[in-house]
């Protein structure tokens, strides 16, 4: 059984690819740059298809000799629905036996565009007649990796949220393993799974865990949205991306991001990783 994996060169895609390879699956990666192939082969991919999610003909060609697909969309993309629709259309004409869609937890939070677009894409998938599995992962623990150097340099864990707001962050490794299980093992068709981490942690709690692991004090601080915008623009983010990030951060800041780990625990057949374990892994890197 060959599984087509989209966004394979991204952060999530690489983690899912590794988990699929560990599970012995044969994976064809969908990439838009041939130069990405050697590294993905190293991670366990069996073949690649060169394509662009904006071009239906490249998607159609990529599905040749595939039995199933794990579709991961580019983050916060304005065309999430159109892109997913192209993969759904091609999967139908190729008669794929399984369409795993990597969505987000609480797609019904319509005020956040990429949540709402994933909800619309889920609806299209459910109504497509394809055998599907929808995965709804929560925010990753791995957001810490993006600010890790700064945490070490400054002693401050700074995120754009009220420091007492709770999130059930999940380890991307667990989410990737759960994705591989849902895509390769029987019993997961026509399911929609909310995937959340085991602890409800505030930024202050996270700073406490990091302090314990490092053996020195790390302080939690809420970054202002103005600063988030300034950082994003300095990093070259588009106007659209900046707007979506600010909307998301504002929304999470207002409502938090709670989830329940039961489903992830059941799929994995073990306890999901704790934040402390993740921080230890990061610190040992
Ligand atoms: N971060 C979280 O906490 C979280 C939580 C839940 C769900 N998610 C979801 O996870 C998904 C993946 O996020 P990520 O952070 O892993 O993304 P990422 O690292 O930015 O990777 C996105 C990948 O998509 C590829 N891509 C973009 N446009 C493309 C196109 N037109 N044609 C072909 N490939 C294209 C990119 O290719 P190149 O490598 O060539 O640029 C890249 O490899 C998103 O849908 C996000 O909403 C994330």
């Amino acid at each position: 059984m060959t599984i087509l994996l989209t966004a394979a060169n991204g952060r999530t895609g690489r983690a899912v690819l590794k988990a699929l390879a560990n599970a012995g699956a044969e994976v064809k990666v969908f990439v838009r740059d041939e130069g990405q192939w050697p590294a993905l082969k190293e991670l366990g991919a069996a073949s690649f298809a060169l394509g662009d999610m904006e071009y239906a003909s490249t998607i159609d060609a990529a599905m040749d000799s595939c039995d199933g697909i794990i579709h991961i969309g580019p983050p916060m993309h304005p065309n999430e629905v159109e892109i997913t629709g192209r993969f759904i259309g091609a999967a139908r004409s190729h008669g794929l036996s399984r369409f795993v869609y990597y969505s987000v937890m609480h797609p019904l939070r319509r005020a956040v565009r990429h949540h709402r677009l994933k909800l619309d894409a889920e609806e299209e998938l459910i109504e497509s007649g394809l055998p599907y599995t929808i995965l709804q992962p929560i925010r990753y623990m791995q957001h810490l990796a993006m600010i890790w150097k700064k945490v070490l340099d400054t002693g401050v864990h700074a995120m754009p949220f009220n420091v007492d707001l709770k999130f059930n962050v999940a380890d991307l490794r667990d989410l990737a393993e759960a994705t591989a299980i849902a895509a390769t093992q029987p019993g997961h068709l026509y399911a929609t799974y909310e995937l959340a981490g085991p602890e409800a942690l505030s930024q202050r709690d996270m700073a406490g865990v990091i302090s314990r692991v490092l053996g020195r004090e790390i302080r939690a601080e809420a970054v202002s949205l103005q600063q988030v915008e300034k950082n994003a623009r300095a990093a070259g983010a588009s106007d659209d991306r900046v707007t979506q990030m600010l909307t998301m951060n504002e929304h999470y800041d207002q409502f938090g991001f709670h989830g329940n780990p039961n489903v992830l625990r059941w799929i994995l057949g073990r306890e999901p990783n704790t934040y402390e374990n993740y921080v230890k892994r990061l610190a040992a890197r």
Side-chain angles (χ1 to χ4, degrees):
M1 164 155 172
T2 301
I3 299 171
L4 184 66
L5 175 66
T6 67
N9 192 49
R11 181 165 52 155
T12 307
R14 284 174 174 242
V16 171
L17 172 59
K18 273 196 236 171
L20 285 166
N22 283 343
E26 188 162 314
V27 186
K28 186 197 261 194
V29 290
F30 184 86
V31 290
R32 54 179 172 180
D33 175 356
E34 202 170 340
Q36 296 163 350
W37 165 240
L40 298 179
K41 187 179 177 194
E42 192 72 22
L43 291 180
S47 59
F48 74 97
L50 208 51
D52 191 312
M53 297 191 194
E54 298 291 3
Y55 296 103
S57 59
T58 65
I59 293 172
D60 194 58
M63 279 194 197
D64 265 351
S65 74
C66 290
D67 308 289
I69 177 170
I70 299 174
H71 174 54
I72 303 169
M76 297 187 188
H77 200 289
N79 300 341
E80 174 91 27
V81 179
E82 292 78 4
I83 286 173
T84 310
R86 286 183 200 113
F87 281 98
I88 290 171
R92 286 183 63 174
S93 61
H94 283 262
L96 260 51
S97 61
R98 202 181 294 202
F99 194 116
V100 177
Y101 176 48
Y102 198 89
S103 179
V104 70
M105 206 175 86
H106 299 166
L108 46 67
R109 291 182 173 210
R110 294 164 202 269
V112 183
R113 187 185 71 188
H114 68 277
H115 283 242
R116 172 171 52 81
L117 295 183
K118 283 185 185 337
L119 182 69
D120 290 348
E122 286 186 10
E123 185 178 20
E124 188 168 336
L125 178 57
I126 288 170
E127 293 178 351
S128 70
L130 282 165
Y132 70 85
T133 307
I134 294 169
L135 303 174
Q136 299 180 334
I138 203 165
R139 184 176 167 86
Y140 303 162
M141 291 178 184
Q142 273 72 5
H143 282 272
L144 175 61
M146 294 153 89
I147 59 162
W148 186 239
K149 189 175 176 312
K150 215 163 181 186
V151 171
L152 295 178
D153 289 350
T154 62
V156 178
H157 175 265
M159 288 273 182
F161 310 110
N162 175 317
V163 293
D164 292 312
L165 201 73
K166 306 272 188 185
F167 292 76
N168 278 77
V169 284
D171 186 349
L172 176 56
R173 265 200 204 169
D174 283 349
L175 297 171
E177 189 178 328
T179 303
I181 290 169
T184 58
Q185 294 188 13
H188 299 292
L189 293 186
Y190 306 109
T192 300
Y193 294 138
E194 283 191 351
L195 304 174
E199 311 145 293
L201 297 172
S202 66
Q203 306 304 317
R204 203 192 292 280
D205 298 332
M206 293 179 197
V209 172
I210 301 167
S211 304
R212 243 189 351 262
V213 171
L214 295 180
R216 67 181 172 104
E217 203 203 333
I218 302 295
R219 193 165 48 80
E221 199 176 278
V223 185
S224 70
L225 288 182
Q226 289 86 336
Q227 190 60 45
V228 172
E229 175 167 6
K230 210 171 147 197
N231 296 348
R233 291 202 186 279
S238 66
D239 285 348
D240 184 66
R241 183 67 179 254
V242 171
T243 305
Q244 298 314 316
M245 275 176 60
L246 295 177
T247 308
M248 175 186 74
N249 289 339
E250 210 171 5
H251 187 84
Y252 290 179
D253 193 40
Q254 193 178 352
F255 300 106
F257 211 162
H258 280 280
N260 187 298
N262 281 348
V263 177
L264 184 57
R265 181 183 296 124
W266 170 70
I267 296 174
L268 296 173
R270 60 167 171 80
E271 280 304 310
N273 269 334
T274 61
Y275 190 71
E276 180 156 342
N277 274 342
Y278 169 66
V279 175
K280 282 180 180 161
R281 213 165 74 215
L282 196 59
R285 229 174 35 183

